[in-house]
Every structure is written in C-alpha cells, then in structure tokens.
Amino acid sequence: MEKFIINGGKTLSGSVRVSGAKNSALKLIAASIMADSRITLKNVPKIEDVATMVEVIKTLGVKVDVDNKKSILEIDPRNIKGCEAPYELVRKMRASVLVAGPLLSKFGSVKLAIPGGCNIGSRGIDLHLKGFEAMGAENVVEHGYIYCRVKGGKTGSRLIGSDINLDFPSRGATENIMMAAVLAKGKTVINNAAQEPEIVDLANFLISMGAEIQGGGTNCITINGVKKLHGTSYSVTPDSIEAGTFITAASLCGGTVEIEDAIWKNLEMFCLKLKEAGVDIDTIGENKIVVSNSGNKLNPVCISTLPYPGFPTDLQPIAVVLLSVVPGISVVTENVFENRFMYVDELNRMGANIKIDGHHAVINGTEKLSGAPVRAFDLRAGAAMILAGLAAEGVTEVSDIYHVKRGYENFEEKLTSIGADIKIAN
Ligand code: EPZ
C-alpha cells in the first residue's frame, strides 16, 4: 500500500495555491443532474471523491467529460434515466447521498443505499429524510436501501414547498433540502440552516441555473420552486480547509508562505485563533493569506469546534498538531462529531502529550515531535499526520494515504514546492 515518507524539520517558504473546494464541488456535480442542458464546472479539484461522484452520476445516465489539466467538467444531464445511487458507491463515499435531493426534485422518487458511518461518527441522514417528508415524500427503509418518493404520486410528481426547521444546522441536510426544493411546487423555508461558504456556493450555482433562492449563507434560506433549470458555466469556490491546512503547515515549519485563493472571511475563526496563539498571519486583499515566522513563541489556546462561522471541525485535527508543540496547556473541544480524536494515539506515538477526556483533548505542549511510522485514519487526520511529520525530527511514514488522496489535490507536490521533503513510496 502507498505511504508518504517525510523527512521533517525543513523550513517552508514560497507561494502555494489552493484548489477548488471538495465540499462544494461534490454538491455542484450532484445538483447539475437537475439541468435540462449542459453544465460547465471549472476549478474542480482532481481528487478521488470527485471521481467517485462523477461515477455516481454516470450510473444515472449522465454524460461527463473530465479535463483534469484544466480542472473542468463538462456535464450533459439530458439523457439521465436512473433514480438509484448504487450501494457500492454510497458505501465508498457518504456524500453520494446528495443525489437524493436532485433526483426527488426532478423525478419525484429515488432509491438510495443507506450510507454507513465512518471513522469520525455515525453520520445519520435523519434530518435529510425529515425534510423530504415535510415536502410530501414518504421514506421506506428496506434491505439497506431507502426508497423515497412523492406521496401517492407516480414517478414524476413534484414535491410541495414547506417550512422546515432543522434540529441541527446540518450541511448535508441543508444542501439536500435546498436541491429538493428548487423544482418543488411553491415556497420552502429552511430555518436553522447551515451557513458554510460551500452552502453559499451551492446556492449561487443553483441561482445561475435559474433557481430562485434567497438567504444562502444565513441561517434562514428561502427557495421558490421553478419549473425547470437550465445549463450554466460556474467556477467552484476555493477550498478553505485546504487553505487552513497550508496555513498550519507554515505556522509549524515557518519561513514565509503565501497561500493563494485563501479567503480570510471563509475561515475567519480559524485565522483569529491562530493569531491569538501568536502566529504571524495576515490577509493581502480578498484572497491571499500570508504566514511569516517572526520567531515569536506561540502560546496555548482553547478551541471549540462549531458549525460555521464557528471553528471548523475539519481543521480540528490540524490545529491539534500545531498546539501539540506549543508549550503550556491547550484544550480543544469537538462539538460536531462524536469520535474525531482517533488520530491522537498516533500523534502521541510521535512524542505528543495529549489526553482525551470525552469531547475534550487536553494538550500539554512539548518542545518537539519525533518522526515515527503512523497511520491516516481519515482524510483530515491523515493531513494532520503529514503536518506532524513535517515538523518532527527525523523520518515519518504515513500509511493508508488513500484517505488523504480523497480530498487533497497534488498534496505532496504542493508541499514540495514550498520546501517540504515528502515522497510517495509503496
Ligand atoms: C460535511 O459533512 C462535510 N462533508 C464534512 O467534511 C464536515 O466535517 C461536516 O460537513 C461538518 O462541517 C461534505 O461536505 C462532503 P453535517 P455532513 O450534516 O454534511 C449529524 C471532510 O473531511 N447529523 O453537518 O455529513 C452528523 O452525524 C468531511 O471534508 C445527523 O445526526 O455534516 C454529524 O455529527 C468530514 N443527522 C453532524 O450532524 C443528519 O441527518 C454534522 O453533520 C445529518 C447530520
């Protein structure tokens, strides 16, 4: 199995550009199946999860041309015929459930494999299904599948707009319900909606296809259903989690690093927390962030992950690596997922001193980490282990790197371009 071999302790400097956001691109690809003509998607990251989502819509009969060099997808949904997201693809990638809203919207029915949990938590879809039911769908669970269809209607009847109150500002539920609502009859209001930058991107994409949506990025989104959606050309917003990953790498190994297409307002809480810890970080214009190593000692901080605009849970493992080498006691609380500290044992094998107490990681910062063979437990934990290897003394081997390839485009090339010593070996 492939692994990363990292020779730690190198100073990072130079400039690196982040790719399009994984957690937006996947939804825009799913939403594109509702159009009645071609869609051009630009700034699409070349990552495994995008390839999987392309596979999903191809099994529905959608034609997709991928130009990896130009990061462009040409999607032609005119011959779509299927209403079923295949079991093996949904098991492989939970985000496949996001074809449910589009298929319900367009055809009034969908057969969907129930997505499994993953290493960070159970990850239910009850809020998605509750939203669909509020809009007139009935859900039947049978043999590992959910059959969702407009109540009493034959295939092709439409959902009815409704007021929906989410118990939790779930990103997936907000996205799936928004997509279900754009072709429904009448008005849908989503209260307690998720507000992440990727939600704004999806709303803007749907509006460019002719949807009528107000309030994307706020906790109350209003959708007035339309009869059809036309094709469009749209560029995916940059990936703020990838930007946060490079910002942290620079904070750990610093020289001066410029991160291009890093939009401060999309990861403001994260940047403010690093500033509070003493990281010399600033924004240049709207979409460039620079981290310079003024050599000042960092200080411990407390972090609590929350839905946007709170501290993003996806940067929690990455922030813990930084705090593991900041002398003093830091506390990081994980409020979004029930099991997102699995990687801490691997980090402690590299000399970190972290104790888990329920939802809290109590970090007693150490001077230095030392290289060791470690595993990537999931996408963001894998990125965290790579950053730990960059900062550690000696050689670190990170195995199970397929997790990392799901969400980071050319990660080792980008790190090498700013001075890291990282290679892939079998
Ligand atoms: C999205 O997952 C992201 N994935 C995750 O990123 C991210 O960690 C998460 O949002 C939180 O920000 C994609 O966008 C593909 P949620 P999603 O619905 O939509 C519970 C990464 O590394 N919940 O906001 O699944 C759920 O179990 C990945 O890029 C229910 O209980 O997140 C979780 O504890 C990891 N029932 C919490 O809410 C539901 O119906 C947050 O889930 C829906 C969610």
Side-chain angles (χ1 to χ4, degrees), residues 1-4 398-402 405 412 424-426:
M1 289 285 265
E2 282 190 327
K3 56 190 170 187
F4 283 122
V398 181
S399 54
D400 297 342
I401 62 170
Y402 60 91
K405 291 185 156 187
E412 69 281 6
I424 287 191
N426 284 313

Side-chain angles (χ1 to χ4, degrees), residues 376-421:
F377 279 117
D378 63 70
L379 167 57
R380 306 304 173 181
M385 299 324 294
I386 291 166
L387 264 54
L390 296 177
E393 245 156 24
V395 177
T396 298
E397 290 189 1
V398 181
S399 54
D400 297 342
I401 62 170
Y402 60 91
H403 287 294
V404 179
K405 291 185 156 187
R406 290 187 49 182
Y408 286 93
E409 181 180 44
N410 300 332
F411 196 34
E412 69 281 6
E413 282 98 336
K414 290 185 181 182
L415 286 169
T416 305
S417 75
I418 51 175
D421 179 351

Side-chain angles (χ1 to χ4, degrees), residues 53 90 93-101 112-115 125 128 176:
M53 188 59 95
V90 177
M93 183 184 69
R94 168 191 157 71
S96 317
V97 295
L98 287 150
V99 296
L112 185 72
I114 299 175
I125 58 168
H128 303 230
N176 240 340

Side-chain angles (χ1 to χ4, degrees), residues 22-23 27 94 123-124 126-127 170-172 314 336 380:
K22 163 179 94 79
N23 291 344
K27 295 55 177 295
R94 168 191 157 71
R123 309 199 63 188
D126 51 305
L127 300 179
S170 151
R171 293 168 71 168
D314 290 345
V336 177
R380 306 304 173 181

Side-chain angles (χ1 to χ4, degrees), residues 48 105 156 180 346:
E48 287 303 313
S105 215
E346 298 296 286

Side-chain angles (χ1 to χ4, degrees), residues 4-12 253 371 386 388-397 419-423:
F4 283 122
I5 312 287
I6 303 154
N7 198 351
K10 309 291 176 217
T11 299
L12 302 185
C253 313
I386 291 166
L390 296 177
E393 245 156 24
V395 177
T396 298
E397 290 189 1
D421 179 351
I422 175 171
K423 292 186 181 49

Side-chain angles (χ1 to χ4, degrees), residues 115-307:
C118 66
N119 285 344
I120 59 177
S122 59
R123 309 199 63 188
I125 58 168
D126 51 305
L127 300 179
H128 303 230
L129 300 177
K130 229 169 115 181
F132 295 156
E133 280 164 12
M135 298 169 74
E138 56 194 359
N139 305 311
V140 174
V141 177
E142 228 168 48
H143 309 306
Y145 280 90
I146 300 168
Y147 298 80
C148 232
R149 68 170 159 268
V150 176
K151 224 174 268 173
K154 25 186 209 326
T155 311
S157 29
R158 289 168 65 193
L159 294 166
I160 311 288
S162 165
D163 276 12
I164 294 164
N165 301 299
L166 290 179
D167 300 350
F168 173 87
S170 151
R171 293 168 71 168
T174 301
E175 292 156 344
N176 240 340
I177 294 165
M178 187 159 55
M179 293 189 283
V182 289
L183 292 175
K185 265 189 219 126
K187 178 166 95 165
T188 298
V189 179
I190 308 173
N191 296 305
N192 198 22
Q195 306 177 54
E196 276 75 6
E198 291 79 6
I199 302 282
V200 178
D201 213 31
L202 176 60
N204 291 339
F205 175 67
L206 291 167
I207 290 166
S208 78
M209 291 164 72
E212 286 179 20
I213 301 173
Q214 285 89 30
T218 74
N219 62 1
C220 177
I221 302 177
T222 302
I223 304 107
N224 289 307
V226 295
K227 286 233 177 333
K228 61 192 183 72
L229 295 174
H230 50 71
T232 185
S233 173
Y234 190 86
S235 187
V236 179
T237 190
D239 194 319
S240 49
I241 303 303
E242 186 190 0
T245 307
F246 282 110
I247 289 168
T248 308
S251 311
L252 272 164
C253 313
T256 296
V257 177
E258 288 191 352
I259 298 98
E260 308 270 355
D261 278 357
I263 302 170
W264 182 280
K265 75 171 171 51
N266 287 355
L267 66 167
E268 180 142 42
M269 183 63 84
F270 168 80
C271 293
L272 292 177
K273 271 295 164 186
L274 260 58
K275 242 176 160 23
E276 185 188 325
V279 172
D280 192 343
I281 178 173
D282 216 340
T283 182
I284 304 176
E286 297 281 300
N287 57 3
K288 189 192 294 188
I289 289 179
V290 60
V291 177
S292 22
N293 186 6
S294 36
N296 48 13
K297 225 168 70 59
L298 300 186
N299 38 61
V301 291
C302 290
I303 290 173
S304 283
T305 68
L306 283 168

